[in-house]
Amino acid sequence: MRFHVVIRYIGLVLLIFASFMLLSAGIAWWSGPDSSYYPLLLSALLTGLLGLFPLIFVKRTEQINSKEGYCIVVGSWLVACIVGMFPYLMWGGEFTLINAWFESVSGLTTTGASILTDIEALPRGLLFWRMSSAWVGGIGVVMFALLILPSMGRSKKMLSNVELSAVSHDDYHYRTQRIVQILLLVYVGLTVISTLLLKFSGMNWYDALTHAMSASSTCGFSTKNLSIAYFNSPLIEAVLICTMATAGIHFGLIYATLIGNRDNVWRSEVTRTYFAFLGGGALMIAISLWIANIYPDFLSSLRHGLFQFVALTSTTGFATADTNLWPSFAIILLVFASIVCACAGSTSGGLKMNRLILAFKMLVARLKRQQHPNAIIRVRVDGVLQEDEVVHTAMIFIVTYFMLMLLGTIINTLFGADLLTGFSASVACLGNVGPGFGEVGSMNNYAAQPAVLKFSGTLLMLFGRLEIFGLVQLFFIKWWR
């Protein structure tokens, strides 16, 4: 494997990050300049130099192999998380080394978990960098690089396949460059529309833009300590519900719907199940809140239940209420939503609705084979016959996902977390959801957790964002030979 080729492409990703740091420095300068101006400017220069050197000294290569493709994608994510720490460490405050690492990984993986006890104390420039890292991570750090890279033939397709969810590849029927353009077109369009709607709903331009970036990337970072509860506006919540729910849909299907293709959102079995899941789960939570007298009337229960269920299912993690105070039934449904999450091909994490449907149909097929041993029963999703290899890979992913969830729970409880906190933190980090329950609930954060738990949490975030096997490849020595 040619490590110099891997380093060259990682350098391109670093240049993209340097440009966003420079943009954040511009926001800081416009705001005063505020105290984050020089940390952001120095971080941009340092990151830019680190990215520029490989481009100068390493010869350009058009074709890469599969090993190099995996290393470029995984290496880009890991290096991006490291350089993402620079502005935090240079600014100081609550950002110790482990806290800066946690916040950087949480943002880039769009988990949205935070160690900040006073978000509003951060200057605007640093807050904008925090949102920018999440926005870049939402679509994928490599996808941004692919947009500006020259024609690479099979190499570009290889990189995009590693970056995209494994269960979303077959839903794109375009050339690789077109796929990247579609992703960014839908992503940017959703961010712009959400920004305008939030502005007209009562936010100022800065809050509207940053919260639109956070919702579109399904991250959940906010500029306020109380998250969306700060605004106490049903209209703002309605806009964010629509943005979060849309961001959880396959971007290719959104594009197909906009251009009038037959294979669109409304004809997709996965998307219809996703909407039914959102509606049914929100309704059941609202009923449980109403029965428990958490809120004065059913409409208030539905308002908060719908927002929180959509926020966790889409893995955004915004909050309008302290869900630790909700009844056990509502908490169980929210935990289930944090495990399943939204659709493949979106910015959300988790198991994905596609795999849940596939697992359910496999269960039904197994029961039918028990009744009719000689019958040939094949599984279809959205009318497409699922090959044995696809089914096998999905089942392995589900098993591995739950094993990692269990391992994370064991580590969390081993180092002092109670069972609810330890389990929900493991679910929230692996699913890139952000808030859990107990000490890491919707109105709390991860600041009080031990350094070991913060570090193990970031590993779970990376496993979740890279769909487990992308990161696992690095731990097998034989794979490098």
Side-chain angles (χ1 to χ4, degrees):
M1 186 175 63
R2 301 166 297 176
F3 283 100
H4 62 282
V5 174
V6 174
I7 293 173
R8 176 182 171 84
Y9 285 108
I10 293 177
L12 283 169
V13 172
L14 292 183
L15 289 180
I16 293 173
F17 270 78
S19 66
F20 276 93
M21 289 177 183
L22 198 59
L23 177 61
S24 301
I27 298 292
W29 179 83
W30 185 266
S31 302
D34 62 36
S35 59
S36 65
Y37 174 67
Y38 287 110
L40 285 165
L41 186 61
L42 291 174
S43 298
L45 292 174
L46 178 57
T47 304
L49 288 174
L50 290 174
L52 193 59
F53 277 122
L55 298 182
I56 296 175
F57 297 106
V58 178
K59 185 178 178 181
R60 174 178 168 181
T61 304
E62 292 290 341
Q63 298 297 327
I64 58 175
N65 58 40
S66 58
K67 295 180 182 179
E68 292 164 353
Y70 269 105
C71 287
I72 289 169
V73 172
V74 178
S76 295
W77 278 95
L78 295 177
V79 173
C81 290
I82 293 172
V83 300
M85 299 167 58
F86 292 169
Y88 301 135
L89 290 173
M90 291 184 186
W91 187 77
E94 297 183 70
F95 293 111
T96 60
L97 182 63
I98 185 63
N99 283 353
W101 168 254
F102 187 94
E103 201 76 10
S104 178
V105 174
S106 180
L108 283 165
T109 58
T110 72
T111 304
S114 181
I115 50 79
L116 294 170
T117 57
D118 188 3
I119 296 171
E120 294 173 39
L122 266 64
R124 276 196 167 188
L126 199 61
L127 280 174
F128 190 80
W129 163 246
R130 191 166 170 260
M131 297 298 185
S132 296
S133 64
W135 195 72
V136 174
I139 199 66
V141 295
V142 176
M143 283 298 176
F144 272 97
L146 290 178
L147 183 69
I148 63 174
L149 288 175
S151 177
M152 295 170 55
R154 293 179 59 190
S155 298
K156 179 169 286 191
K157 181 176 178 58
M158 188 179 304
L159 290 175
S160 67
N161 284 346
V162 177
E163 182 79 1
L164 287 170
S165 171
V167 291
S168 68
H169 295 159
D170 294 337
D171 294 320
Y172 287 105
H173 307 290
Y174 306 97
R175 296 174 63 88
T176 303
Q177 182 67 13
R178 185 60 177 158
I179 291 174
V180 177
Q181 292 172 352
I182 288 172
L183 286 171
L184 289 177
L185 176 65
V186 174
Y187 195 50
V188 173
L190 181 61
T191 305
V192 171
I193 293 172
S194 181
T195 300
L196 295 174
L197 291 176
L198 288 173
K199 169 59 180 172
F200 296 147
S201 300
M203 286 187 177
N204 59 47
W205 279 114
Y206 180 79
D207 284 338
L209 174 60
T210 51
H211 283 89
M213 293 169 68
S214 187
S216 299
S217 63
T218 62
C219 174
F221 276 162
S222 175
T223 59
K224 308 299 180 182
N225 291 327
L226 294 177
S227 189
I228 308 305
Y230 171 89
F231 301 99
N232 192 26
S233 169
L235 187 56
I236 288 175
E237 292 166 21
V239 171
L240 289 174
I241 285 172
C242 292
T243 303
M244 293 185 295
T246 303
I249 301 172
H250 193 295
F251 279 15
L253 288 176
I254 295 175
Y255 177 79
T257 304
L258 292 174
I259 64 174
N261 275 8
R262 185 173 182 275
D263 295 327
N264 54 43
V265 167
W266 315 115
R267 297 180 63 87
S268 169
E269 176 185 5
V270 173
T271 309
R272 291 198 305 270
T273 305
Y274 169 63
F275 284 137
F277 182 75
L278 290 179
L283 182 60
M284 286 190 288
I285 288 177
I287 293 173
S288 71
L289 295 177
W290 183 46
I291 293 174
N293 291 319
I294 302 296
Y295 298 102
D297 53 62
F298 181 75
L299 285 180
S300 297
S301 300
L302 183 61
R303 169 189 168 186
H304 292 288
L306 177 61
F307 188 93
Q308 292 303 142
F309 194 74
V310 172
L312 294 192
T313 302
S314 65
T315 73
T316 308
F318 280 142
T320 59
D322 187 354
T323 52
N324 278 331
L325 304 177
W326 287 10
S328 299
F329 179 77
I331 291 176
I332 289 173
L333 287 180
L334 290 174
V335 170
F336 183 63
S338 300
I339 294 173
V340 177
C341 304
C343 309
S346 68
T347 57
S348 71
L351 274 178
K352 303 286 193 308
M353 191 64 62
N354 308 59
R355 293 191 180 96
L356 179 67
I357 293 172
L358 187 59
F360 178 76
K361 291 194 172 186
M362 284 294 297
L363 175 62
V364 172
R366 180 59 186 171
L367 291 175
K368 288 181 178 179
R369 288 193 184 101
Q370 290 286 96
Q371 299 172 350
H372 308 284
N374 297 324
I376 299 176
I377 302 171
R378 303 300 298 270
V379 175
R380 294 178 182 270
V381 177
D382 273 331
V384 178
L385 187 66
Q386 301 298 303
E387 299 293 336
D388 291 340
E389 180 64 23
V390 173
V391 174
H392 181 66
T393 301
M395 295 305 106
I396 290 177
F397 181 92
I398 292 174
V399 171
T400 309
Y401 192 91
F402 280 103
M403 288 175 61
L404 284 173
M405 191 187 302
L406 175 62
L407 179 61
T409 304
I410 292 172
I411 293 174
N412 290 344
T413 52
L414 178 65
F415 286 94
D418 61 84
L419 183 58
L420 179 61
T421 300
F423 172 69
S424 64
S426 177
V427 170
C429 289
L430 184 60
N432 303 132
V433 176
F437 296 92
E439 295 178 9
V440 294
S442 57
M443 289 298 171
N444 299 319
N445 55 46
Y446 289 72
Q449 302 306 308
V452 174
L453 268 66
K454 292 176 183 176
F455 183 73
S456 66
T458 59
L459 292 181
L460 289 176
M461 293 176 198
L462 287 167
F463 273 116
R465 184 59 181 85
L466 292 170
E467 298 250 309
I468 300 177
F469 299 113
L471 190 59
V472 165
Q473 294 279 12
L474 296 179
F475 297 97
F476 289 92
I477 302 299
K478 291 182 179 179
W479 183 81
W480 297 88
R481 296 175 181 172

